[in-house]
Amino acid sequence: MAATRLPGTPRLLRALNDRAALDLLLTRGPLTRAQLGEMTGLSKVTASQLVERLEERGLVRRVGEQAGGRGPNAQLYAVTPSSAHVIGVEVGPDCVVAACADITGTVTSRVEQSTKDTDDPVGVVHNAVVQAAGEAGADMSSVRRVVLGTPGLVDPHSGEISFAHDLPRWHRGLLADLRRDLNIPVFFGNDVNLAAVAESSTGAATGVTDFALIWIGRGVGLATVIAGRLHQGATGAAGEIGYLPVAGAEVPHNASRRGVKGAFQSIAGADAVKAIGKQFGFRGAEAADVVRAAVAAGPAGEPVLDELARRLALGVAATCAVLDPPLVVLAGEVSRAGGPALAERVEAEVAAITLVSPKVVVTAVPSEPVLHGALRMALDAVRDEVFGSTTD
């Protein structure tokens, strides 16, 4: 049988080599041509041609020199930060926060826009995006993608949002309006899913391919990562754990109506946390304040943590009995306030009531996980676009 010729193989190899070199420069740069050759296994000649090709396209630049032994100093190369920018946006009921990052992942600006006195979501997002780009010194033409993190469902096929009850003016058709207004690719992302993206990138789930993230804040939510990929479900509703039926809690039969609480939300959401605290003498303006006070109280606050962990374990156990992930991350304001003391209790409770025993930890993302998840999702896509087009 005659051997089949693979058309375009040299071009494909060049593209693969270019991408490997760019990834190395992002993670380990700046590097010399010789170092790139050693790390990629390419010859000196091929590595030099690769660097010249990337430099001509404006994707890498010279940033210094490295002194060696004999002969002239070797040039150091790094990815050109201004070759592309992305903007991540976190949308809440009271304000919109936008941040701009260059293609290396360096966050170069952060701005806030109030949503209290406007009924124009397009205008609010427009102003936030333009201001974030301006403060970063980035021309709008270099902004390749905007990702907005919002509550509610994001349809995996159309990209539209629905059931964003905290954002009554955000509606179907808004995505197209934003794309027309900004003339940039714009995408919505569910806020809890984006928190999981951030956790996988820089948090407690770094290097973990299968994990679940439970968000406990004003609301409750779930994100699952399976084989390194977010699982969104057929309609984007995967993770709406607030509607999980729980024995003993009222199960609504009109769950899609605005203001209706699901069973798990009713026993583990912010109002329930405040009620638990009040039962044991702890009060606060927010649910996280109640949990924080209980932790600070030592033994006197343990009943609050015990009861909260018992309730959270019902949702965690239901998730883990189906997916059996090795890791569960507790995120959100309440989880952060509870810290390791809450995580350890949830882990023990889950192991006691099911046959699974995942490790349960608190988020390790320092701040604004939804915003940073939006930036990371945008960066991953734009790097594929920009770095993947090196042979065009």
Side-chain angles (χ1 to χ4, degrees):
M1 182 176 178
T4 302
R5 183 174 180 271
L6 296 177
T9 297
R11 185 182 183 192
L12 174 61
L13 289 175
R14 282 197 302 272
L16 293 173
N17 290 337
D18 289 353
R19 180 61 191 263
L22 288 163
D23 287 341
L24 283 169
L25 288 170
L26 281 174
T27 57
R28 302 180 64 176
L31 299 170
T32 66
R33 297 185 184 204
Q35 288 170 333
L36 276 172
E38 291 172 4
M39 293 179 183
T40 58
L42 300 175
S43 68
K44 291 182 179 180
V45 172
T46 303
S48 292
Q49 292 173 341
L50 178 153
V51 171
E52 290 172 4
R53 186 164 59 246
L54 297 179
E55 194 173 15
E56 287 174 1
R57 294 184 62 84
L59 296 178
V60 303
R61 63 177 182 171
R62 303 180 191 190
V63 294
E65 296 181 344
Q66 184 179 77
R70 299 175 180 177
N73 293 343
Q75 295 287 332
L76 285 166
Y77 294 86
V79 172
T80 306
S82 60
S83 56
H85 292 85
V86 299
I87 292 178
V89 182
E90 179 176 0
V91 181
D94 299 320
C95 73
V96 165
V97 182
C100 182
D102 62 41
I103 201 165
T104 70
T106 301
V107 178
T108 49
S109 71
R110 179 189 178 281
V111 302
E112 293 187 22
Q113 293 280 336
S114 173
T115 58
K116 291 183 178 179
D117 301 320
T118 180
D119 58 358
D120 178 18
V122 173
V124 170
V125 173
H126 176 96
N127 292 338
V129 168
V130 171
Q131 186 180 348
E135 292 195 6
D139 190 274
M140 285 298 293
S141 63
S142 75
V143 178
R144 302 288 292 261
R145 181 172 291 231
V146 176
V147 172
L148 296 94
T150 78
L153 308 188
V154 178
D155 189 298
H157 306 292
S158 69
E160 292 281 5
I161 58 170
S162 60
F163 298 108
H165 296 314
D166 284 348
L167 308 171
R169 298 180 184 89
W170 292 65
H171 52 78
R172 285 190 176 274
L174 181 59
L175 183 61
D177 292 342
L178 288 168
R179 288 174 174 172
R180 277 193 298 269
D181 175 75
L182 292 168
N183 196 29
I184 298 170
V186 178
F187 297 86
F188 288 128
N190 171 266
D191 51 2
V192 180
N193 281 346
L194 292 178
V197 171
E199 206 71 53
S200 179
S201 175
T202 60
T206 302
V208 180
T209 57
D210 296 85
F211 70 95
L213 180 142
I214 305 286
W215 182 278
I216 309 296
R218 287 188 312 111
V220 296
L222 165 72
T224 54
V225 174
I226 302 172
R229 297 174 63 88
L230 275 172
H231 179 69
Q232 299 182 71
T235 63
E240 293 298 320
I241 198 173
Y243 296 98
L244 178 74
V246 179
E250 182 179 354
V251 179
H253 287 81
N254 53 352
S256 63
R257 286 183 55 191
R258 180 180 171 83
V260 174
K261 290 183 180 180
F264 187 62
Q265 167 78 25
S266 70
I267 70 164
D271 290 343
V273 174
K274 287 183 179 181
I276 295 170
K278 184 178 180 181
Q279 178 184 350
F280 295 102
F282 293 91
R283 290 175 172 80
E286 304 293 339
D289 298 329
V290 173
V291 176
R292 198 173 293 110
V295 172
E302 289 184 357
V304 174
L305 298 179
D306 290 341
E307 177 60 20
L308 178 56
R310 186 187 68 79
R311 298 186 184 195
L312 293 179
L314 297 176
V316 175
T319 300
C320 294
V322 175
L323 300 176
D324 192 16
L327 177 70
V328 173
V329 180
L330 301 183
E333 302 89 349
V334 170
S335 299
R336 188 181 293 279
L342 179 61
E344 290 166 5
R345 284 169 166 80
V346 173
E347 180 177 313
E349 187 70 19
V350 171
I353 63 176
T354 68
L355 297 180
V356 296
S357 53
K359 180 68 178 174
V360 180
V361 301
V362 179
T363 176
V365 177
S367 63
E368 300 185 311
V370 176
L371 181 64
H372 287 94
L375 285 169
R376 172 54 57 181
M377 181 172 282
L379 274 170
D380 287 346
V382 168
R383 285 173 179 171
D384 283 344
E385 293 171 3
V386 175
F387 295 169
S389 64
T390 57
T391 57
D392 288 351

